[in-house]
Amino acid sequence: MAKYFIPLLMLLNIFWAPLTAQVSEIDSLEQVLISFTGDSEAKGNLLIELSNVYKNTDTAKMRSYIDDALILAQKEGLKNLEKRAYMSFGNYYWRSAEYFLAYINYKNAEKICIELNDIEYLARVYYNMLRVFNIIMDAENMVNYANKFLETGAKLYDLTTLLPHDTTNIVEDDPIPGWLFWADYLKRLALIDNELSLERLIFHQEMLETPMFSHPKLLEMKKLLIFECGLINISLKKPRESLKYFQISQELCEQYAHLGTTRFLTLLNISFAEAHSLLQQIDSAIYYLDKTDKVLPYVDHQIMSALYSAQIELETAKGDYKKAYEISQKYYHFADSIQTAQKSEDMARMKNWLELEQKDIENAILQEEKIIQQKLLKLLSISLLCIFALLPFSFFYYRKIIKKKNELNSMHTFKDKLFSIVSNDLRAPIHSLAVTLKLANSMGINAKNRAKILKNVSTNVDNTYGLIENLLIWAKSQMHATIAKSEHVNIQTEINFILDDLSNFAEEKNIFIENNIGNYTIDTDKEMFKIILRNLIFNALKYTHPYGKIIINSELDDHHLIISVSDTGIGMSPEIQGKLFHLSETKGELGTNSERGTGLGLVLCAELIKKIGGKIWFESKMGEGSIFYISLRRK
């Protein structure tokens, strides 16, 4: 959540137009509208201007004027006006935090811009889409629309002069050059995986050294980048360095009053307190925390997280470990509730995205059917001879329709499977967790049984977390064309990390794992490789009886690396083997200790191995065990 907070604040503070709607301006425009005698397009543009004037004062009137403009544009066939109306609707929903509806309206504006070849307006549309995905923290789409915006901007400007960040390129009447710089920044930020890492610190320091930040319009961005540098230094346990950055942020707020918002100063004081606590400067830490009491009504999720963290560090510095522990428990409960809410938002967004893609396919099918009907009617009016001559042509289009309908049916199958997993396979383990935790908190449970229960909870949490991770990764792969990134990967190192992660599960079932992986390095996508191997090893653990054995081997030739994961588990029947990599047919089987499964993990392995140019196959005998193989190119 912290990863995208700073870019979000920058967007809100730098490029959001200030409150300019004055009563006299509104009265003037409405008087002009009442007595207006010009053409329809001019009237529509006046309606759009009125909607913009009301955006900060009356959102109901804002929407009403946009509605009038869109109806007029569609009635008169005015594409330029329709484009502006969809853009205004997108901005309306963006301001209302209804980001999915904002995205749909921006997509409608995009289609018209492409139809009209309006490059400049298309650039503005792509920039707004970038803002949407920045807010909902979708890094992949941030990179996608940043690239589209930069590609479109390259047709309007010379990027070799803009992206070095020349301050003369930011002007009031043309914001696109400044946006291009901003899009380049967001794209590179989205590609940095760690939320608070040394890599991000170096990146922000490099950005602060560019001449661009000497421009007055970018003071807010500069303040926030400096502040995040301080936060990263705290996470790296370098409180003295963090205090330097916090001090600079405070000086900027004192020098420029508009930068010192109540919310930011609250975060700054909490961060000062945490840094002083790490330095054992208890009086200073208490001083800064006391300053936050006056503004606590302004709290939000980020402020609460920062406040808990600072209080934990302060109590630790005082030596009051009991109180620090109590605060940490409150913090973990708070963090869990936030994470649960975030997961719910992610699932709702995935559902909306799937429905939008289905709607696009349905519209494409209807459009093609309409075109076919028009062409056939025209040809029928000529002669029967033309009809017979054009039968192959009609057959070709018929096959395309069948193909589109099959794609739509396939998407319905995927959606049904997705929500089946969410409603059935996630409900049971989460309910089990809730019951187990209530039992663990019962006063009648002794310490030994409580430890045993908590160990079971830990295993159950790991299993459920793995299922959710697989679910999210698979759903994302269905909605977007996930692109593999090639990098040097040490196979032995990554598998050791996976085995460490699964060690508790193996120990609980007393399963011996023989790791015979060699010290090889290949070029592939590290994250996809880890997901594939983790699922194969986890499945072997799940379907192997206690006191069983798992063997991980590797073979290397001139062109390929072959990795195998074999187990002494329950094996698979021929019927199960035939459905293993097909989502619509696969069914989750219980493990040897009644561990739940969905069959999604192996489907995900099959999809990801294709993306990184590899192969997957297996051998299995009922009651004797299974061997799964993956083959990857060395280069």
Side-chain angles (χ1 to χ4, degrees):
M1 190 169 185
K3 177 174 181 179
Y4 298 106
F5 171 73
I6 297 299
L8 172 58
L9 269 185
M10 297 177 189
L11 281 172
L12 291 172
N13 287 282
I14 298 169
F15 299 114
W16 195 284
L19 186 62
T20 58
Q22 302 296 327
V23 174
S24 58
E25 182 181 3
I26 294 173
D27 290 342
S28 175
L29 287 173
E30 289 189 332
Q31 287 299 320
V32 172
L33 182 63
I34 291 171
S35 58
F36 190 79
T37 58
D39 60 37
S40 296
E41 186 157 12
K43 181 179 180 181
N45 288 327
L46 180 59
L47 290 168
I48 296 293
E49 292 303 320
L50 264 169
S51 74
N52 288 333
V53 171
Y54 274 112
K55 66 185 177 183
N56 292 313
T57 57
D58 191 333
T59 54
K61 284 191 175 181
M62 176 187 179
R63 173 162 185 162
S64 175
Y65 282 122
I66 301 172
D67 269 327
D68 291 344
L70 182 58
I71 292 170
L72 179 63
Q74 292 176 338
K75 179 181 178 182
E76 302 291 338
L78 303 171
K79 288 294 184 180
N80 275 308
L81 178 59
E82 186 178 3
K83 166 196 70 183
R84 289 194 68 195
Y86 277 127
M87 183 74 133
S88 296
F89 260 129
N91 295 338
Y92 167 80
Y93 286 118
W94 190 92
R95 298 171 76 87
S96 304
E98 298 181 71
Y99 302 115
F100 179 69
L101 294 176
Y103 173 72
I104 290 176
N105 281 278
Y106 291 144
K107 286 288 287 185
N108 290 333
E110 176 196 20
K111 292 176 184 176
I112 298 175
C113 288
I114 293 173
E115 180 183 341
L116 299 176
N117 196 29
D118 189 341
I119 303 301
E120 181 175 354
Y121 209 84
L122 183 61
R124 294 171 179 267
V125 171
Y126 284 144
Y127 174 71
N128 283 357
M129 288 182 173
L130 174 60
R131 293 200 309 171
V132 167
F133 288 108
N134 180 51
I135 290 176
I136 65 176
M137 307 177 212
D138 188 333
E140 185 172 349
N141 271 308
M142 281 175 64
V143 174
N144 178 32
Y145 282 103
N147 282 332
K148 286 188 175 183
F149 179 54
L150 291 168
E151 289 167 8
T152 308
K155 298 177 183 178
L156 301 170
Y157 303 92
D158 181 2
L159 297 189
T160 60
T161 62
L162 289 176
L163 294 187
H165 321 318
D166 181 359
T167 59
T168 60
N169 289 315
I170 299 184
V171 293
E172 295 295 336
D173 58 346
D174 185 7
I176 292 181
W179 293 351
L180 288 165
F181 158 74
W182 179 244
D184 181 55
Y185 163 78
L186 283 181
K187 174 185 172 182
R188 290 192 285 160
L189 183 67
L191 293 171
I192 299 176
D193 293 330
N194 296 328
E195 291 192 355
L196 293 174
S197 64
L198 183 60
E199 183 182 355
R200 282 171 68 87
L201 177 62
I202 294 171
F203 172 58
H204 288 320
Q205 288 172 338
E206 290 174 353
M207 294 294 294
L208 288 168
E209 291 174 0
T210 61
M212 197 73 159
F213 282 102
S214 62
H215 196 282
K217 283 192 69 176
L218 298 184
L219 281 175
E220 180 72 23
M221 186 196 298
K222 182 176 182 179
K223 174 199 73 175
L224 294 168
L225 281 184
I226 291 170
F227 178 63
E228 189 175 357
C229 287
L231 294 179
I232 295 172
N233 273 298
I234 282 185
S235 72
L236 297 173
K237 301 303 180 184
K238 296 180 179 180
R240 293 190 186 280
E241 287 78 359
S242 68
L243 284 174
K244 296 176 185 178
Y245 286 108
F246 295 152
Q247 188 63 41
I248 296 172
S249 294
Q250 187 178 52
E251 290 171 358
L252 281 173
C253 292
E254 292 171 353
Q255 186 176 358
Y256 303 98
H258 68 282
L259 300 180
T261 63
T262 303
R263 186 184 186 286
F264 179 77
L265 291 177
T266 302
L267 277 171
L268 188 59
N269 286 329
I270 293 172
S271 301
F272 266 122
E274 186 169 1
H276 283 295
S277 296
L278 289 170
L279 291 170
Q280 299 294 311
Q281 297 171 354
I282 295 173
D283 290 341
S284 296
I286 293 174
Y287 166 76
Y288 282 106
L289 278 181
D290 287 344
K291 291 178 71 174
T292 65
D293 289 341
K294 300 175 183 178
V295 291
L296 282 182
Y298 295 92
V299 298
D300 56 26
H301 294 161
Q302 192 198 20
I303 290 178
M304 286 302 298
S305 296
L307 188 58
Y308 278 129
S309 180
Q311 289 173 340
I312 290 169
E313 292 295 344
L314 176 59
E315 298 305 326
T316 302
K318 289 180 179 179
D320 192 342
Y321 300 108
K322 181 180 178 182
K323 190 170 183 180
Y325 174 76
E326 291 173 352
I327 296 173
S328 68
Q329 291 299 105
K330 292 180 182 179
Y331 170 71
Y332 292 138
H333 178 74
F334 171 79
D336 285 344
S337 65
I338 297 303
Q339 188 176 26
T340 300
Q342 185 64 44
K343 292 293 183 184
S344 298
E345 290 178 8
D346 289 343
M347 293 301 297
R349 187 163 62 252
M350 279 190 283
K351 179 181 177 182
N352 286 335
W353 264 210
L354 281 170
E355 290 175 350
L356 177 61
E357 290 187 5
Q358 290 175 10
K359 186 177 179 181
D360 286 343
I361 292 176
E362 289 169 351
N363 289 337
I365 292 172
L366 290 173
Q367 186 65 27
E368 289 206 19
E369 288 178 341
K370 184 178 179 181
I371 293 171
I372 292 170
Q373 290 173 0
Q374 291 173 347
K375 289 185 176 181
L376 287 176
L377 287 172
K378 187 175 181 179
L379 291 170
L380 282 170
S381 65
I382 299 173
S383 68
L384 289 174
L385 180 62
C386 292
I387 294 175
F388 285 112
L390 291 172
L391 277 176
F393 177 79
S394 301
F395 181 70
F396 170 75
Y397 271 91
Y398 175 76
R399 289 182 63 185
K400 288 185 69 176
I401 291 173
I402 295 300
K403 183 180 179 181
K404 289 287 186 182
K405 287 184 177 179
N406 289 337
E407 291 176 359
L408 183 60
N409 289 335
S410 177
M411 286 197 67
H412 278 299
T413 301
F414 281 134
K415 186 190 74 172
D416 292 341
K417 183 68 176 181
L418 171 65
F419 292 112
S420 171
I421 291 169
V422 172
S423 62
N424 297 321
D425 296 292
L426 285 183
R427 182 182 297 165
I430 292 175
H431 177 72
S432 175
L433 278 175
V435 172
T436 306
L437 286 173
K438 286 181 180 178
L439 181 61
N441 289 326
S442 172
M443 296 302 293
I445 302 298
N446 59 38
K448 182 178 180 181
N449 288 332
R450 188 186 300 272
K452 183 178 180 180
I453 289 171
L454 291 178
K455 185 177 181 181
N456 291 334
V457 168
S458 176
T459 301
N460 201 353
V461 167
D462 288 342
N463 293 342
T464 306
Y465 180 79
L467 172 58
I468 293 173
E469 283 295 294
N470 279 344
L471 179 62
L472 292 177
I473 293 166
W474 171 80
K476 189 175 183 181
S477 73
Q478 300 306 307
M479 293 185 293
H480 310 292
T482 306
I483 300 173
K485 299 183 292 184
S486 182
E487 56 186 307
H488 294 304
V489 178
N490 185 280
I491 303 301
Q492 190 179 70
T493 300
E494 299 307 325
I495 289 183
N496 285 339
F497 282 144
I498 295 170
L499 293 178
D500 286 344
D501 189 38
L502 298 175
S503 61
N504 286 339
F505 191 19
E507 290 173 5
E508 182 178 309
K509 297 183 74 171
N510 293 300
I511 294 174
F512 175 73
I513 300 178
E514 182 178 323
N515 181 9
N516 300 323
I517 292 294
N519 189 19
Y520 305 127
T521 299
I522 62 171
D523 290 336
T524 188
D525 188 296
K526 182 191 292 187
E527 292 306 315
M528 292 187 187
F529 172 81
K530 288 166 65 177
I531 291 168
I532 294 167
L533 261 296
R534 189 186 190 283
N535 272 288
L536 293 182
I537 296 171
F538 183 81
N539 272 7
L541 287 167
K542 188 192 303 183
Y543 296 111
T544 297
H545 291 290
Y547 301 96
K549 184 177 182 180
I550 295 172
I551 302 174
I552 307 172
N553 286 323
S554 62
E555 297 179 25
L556 190 68
D557 60 27
D558 292 338
H559 302 291
H560 295 86
L561 170 69
I562 299 176
I563 299 174
S564 65
V565 179
S566 64
D567 62 65
T568 58
I570 60 177
M572 293 179 286
S573 66
E575 182 183 2
I576 293 176
Q577 293 181 36
K579 300 178 180 179
L580 202 58
F581 296 129
H582 303 284
L583 181 65
S584 60
E585 300 177 0
T586 187
K587 180 181 178 182
E589 300 290 335
L590 291 178
T592 55
N593 275 2
S594 299
E595 302 97 331
R596 296 185 65 84
T598 65
L600 185 60
L602 289 176
V603 175
L604 185 60
C605 289
E607 290 187 7
L608 295 184
I609 199 73
K610 288 180 183 178
K611 292 183 182 294
I612 60 178
K615 296 180 180 179
I616 184 169
W617 67 98
F618 63 90
E619 300 171 1
S620 182
K621 290 185 179 180
M622 196 69 178
E624 296 183 14
S626 305
I627 307 176
F628 280 83
Y629 301 88
I630 64 169
S631 173
L632 299 170
R633 284 186 171 273
R634 293 188 62 184
K635 294 293 183 182

